[in-house]
PDB file of all heavy atoms in Angstrom:
ATOM      1  N   CYS A 135     -12.456  -2.058  -6.125  1.00 96.00           N
ATOM      2  CA  CYS A 135     -13.170  -1.684  -7.338  1.00 96.00           C
ATOM      3  C   CYS A 135     -14.429  -0.873  -6.989  1.00 96.00           C
ATOM      4  O   CYS A 135     -15.188  -1.249  -6.100  1.00 96.00           O
ATOM      5  CB  CYS A 135     -13.554  -2.959  -8.090  1.00 96.00           C
ATOM      6  SG  CYS A 135     -14.654  -2.667  -9.473  1.00 96.00           S
ATOM      7  N   GLU A 136     -14.624   0.232  -7.689  1.00 94.00           N
ATOM      8  CA  GLU A 136     -15.796   1.073  -7.411  1.00 94.00           C
ATOM      9  C   GLU A 136     -17.101   0.447  -7.897  1.00 94.00           C
ATOM     10  O   GLU A 136     -18.174   0.869  -7.515  1.00 94.00           O
ATOM     11  CB  GLU A 136     -15.627   2.454  -8.073  1.00 94.00           C
ATOM     12  CG  GLU A 136     -14.641   3.333  -7.330  1.00 94.00           C
ATOM     13  CD  GLU A 136     -14.565   4.746  -7.889  1.00 94.00           C
ATOM     14  OE1 GLU A 136     -15.307   5.057  -8.852  1.00 94.00           O
ATOM     15  OE2 GLU A 136     -13.768   5.531  -7.375  1.00 94.00           O
ATOM     16  N   VAL A 137     -16.994  -0.519  -8.774  1.00 95.00           N
ATOM     17  CA  VAL A 137     -18.205  -1.155  -9.305  1.00 95.00           C
ATOM     18  C   VAL A 137     -18.603  -2.386  -8.482  1.00 95.00           C
ATOM     19  O   VAL A 137     -19.713  -2.467  -7.969  1.00 95.00           O
ATOM     20  CB  VAL A 137     -18.039  -1.532 -10.795  1.00 95.00           C
ATOM     21  CG1 VAL A 137     -19.269  -2.272 -11.306  1.00 95.00           C
ATOM     22  CG2 VAL A 137     -17.770  -0.284 -11.625  1.00 95.00           C
ATOM     23  N   CYS A 138     -17.672  -3.317  -8.322  1.00 96.00           N
ATOM     24  CA  CYS A 138     -18.054  -4.566  -7.661  1.00 96.00           C
ATOM     25  C   CYS A 138     -17.473  -4.708  -6.248  1.00 96.00           C
ATOM     26  O   CYS A 138     -17.851  -5.618  -5.506  1.00 96.00           O
ATOM     27  CB  CYS A 138     -17.675  -5.772  -8.523  1.00 96.00           C
ATOM     28  SG  CYS A 138     -15.899  -5.989  -8.700  1.00 96.00           S
ATOM     29  N   GLY A 139     -16.566  -3.807  -5.872  1.00 96.00           N
ATOM     30  CA  GLY A 139     -16.060  -3.826  -4.507  1.00 96.00           C
ATOM     31  C   GLY A 139     -14.959  -4.836  -4.211  1.00 96.00           C
ATOM     32  O   GLY A 139     -14.474  -4.916  -3.092  1.00 96.00           O
ATOM     33  N   THR A 140     -14.566  -5.619  -5.221  1.00 96.00           N
ATOM     34  CA  THR A 140     -13.474  -6.568  -4.975  1.00 96.00           C
ATOM     35  C   THR A 140     -12.126  -5.865  -5.136  1.00 96.00           C
ATOM     36  O   THR A 140     -12.054  -4.737  -5.619  1.00 96.00           O
ATOM     37  CB  THR A 140     -13.509  -7.769  -5.952  1.00 96.00           C
ATOM     38  OG1 THR A 140     -13.426  -7.260  -7.279  1.00 96.00           O
ATOM     39  CG2 THR A 140     -14.774  -8.570  -5.789  1.00 96.00           C
ATOM     40  N   THR A 155     -11.287   0.765 -10.841  1.00 95.00           N
ATOM     41  CA  THR A 155     -12.044  -0.481 -10.958  1.00 95.00           C
ATOM     42  C   THR A 155     -11.116  -1.663 -11.229  1.00 95.00           C
ATOM     43  O   THR A 155      -9.968  -1.489 -11.616  1.00 95.00           O
ATOM     44  CB  THR A 155     -13.018  -0.420 -12.151  1.00 95.00           C
ATOM     45  OG1 THR A 155     -12.238  -0.331 -13.353  1.00 95.00           O
ATOM     46  CG2 THR A 155     -13.953   0.761 -12.066  1.00 95.00           C
ATOM     47  N   CYS A 156     -11.670  -2.854 -11.041  1.00 96.00           N
ATOM     48  CA  CYS A 156     -10.939  -4.051 -11.426  1.00 96.00           C
ATOM     49  C   CYS A 156     -10.960  -4.141 -12.956  1.00 96.00           C
ATOM     50  O   CYS A 156     -11.695  -3.415 -13.620  1.00 96.00           O
ATOM     51  CB  CYS A 156     -11.579  -5.294 -10.811  1.00 96.00           C
ATOM     52  SG  CYS A 156     -13.220  -5.684 -11.459  1.00 96.00           S
ATOM     53  N   GLU A 157     -10.169  -5.041 -13.477  1.00 94.00           N
ATOM     54  CA  GLU A 157     -10.023  -5.153 -14.918  1.00 94.00           C
ATOM     55  C   GLU A 157     -11.364  -5.410 -15.608  1.00 94.00           C
ATOM     56  O   GLU A 157     -11.687  -4.814 -16.634  1.00 94.00           O
ATOM     57  CB  GLU A 157      -9.043  -6.277 -15.252  1.00 94.00           C
ATOM     58  CG  GLU A 157      -8.678  -6.335 -16.717  1.00 94.00           C
ATOM     59  CD  GLU A 157      -7.174  -6.401 -16.904  1.00 94.00           C
ATOM     60  OE1 GLU A 157      -6.502  -6.994 -16.025  1.00 94.00           O
ATOM     61  OE2 GLU A 157      -6.687  -5.877 -17.915  1.00 94.00           O
ATOM     62  N   ALA A 158     -12.169  -6.275 -15.010  1.00 95.00           N
ATOM     63  CA  ALA A 158     -13.431  -6.662 -15.622  1.00 95.00           C
ATOM     64  C   ALA A 158     -14.413  -5.490 -15.704  1.00 95.00           C
ATOM     65  O   ALA A 158     -15.261  -5.440 -16.600  1.00 95.00           O
ATOM     66  CB  ALA A 158     -14.062  -7.804 -14.833  1.00 95.00           C
ATOM     67  N   ASP A 159     -14.281  -4.540 -14.801  1.00 96.00           N
ATOM     68  CA  ASP A 159     -15.244  -3.437 -14.752  1.00 96.00           C
ATOM     69  C   ASP A 159     -14.728  -2.146 -15.359  1.00 96.00           C
ATOM     70  O   ASP A 159     -15.400  -1.116 -15.318  1.00 96.00           O
ATOM     71  CB  ASP A 159     -15.660  -3.162 -13.302  1.00 96.00           C
ATOM     72  CG  ASP A 159     -16.481  -4.306 -12.741  1.00 96.00           C
ATOM     73  OD1 ASP A 159     -17.314  -4.852 -13.480  1.00 96.00           O
ATOM     74  OD2 ASP A 159     -16.289  -4.644 -11.571  1.00 96.00           O
TER      75      ASP A 159
HETATM   76 ZN1   ZN B 383     -15.000  -4.735 -10.330  1.00 96.97          ZN
END
Side-chain angles (χ1 to χ4, degrees):
C135 171
E136 285 186 1
V137 176
C138 67
T140 58
T155 65
C156 67
E157 188 130 32
D159 292 321

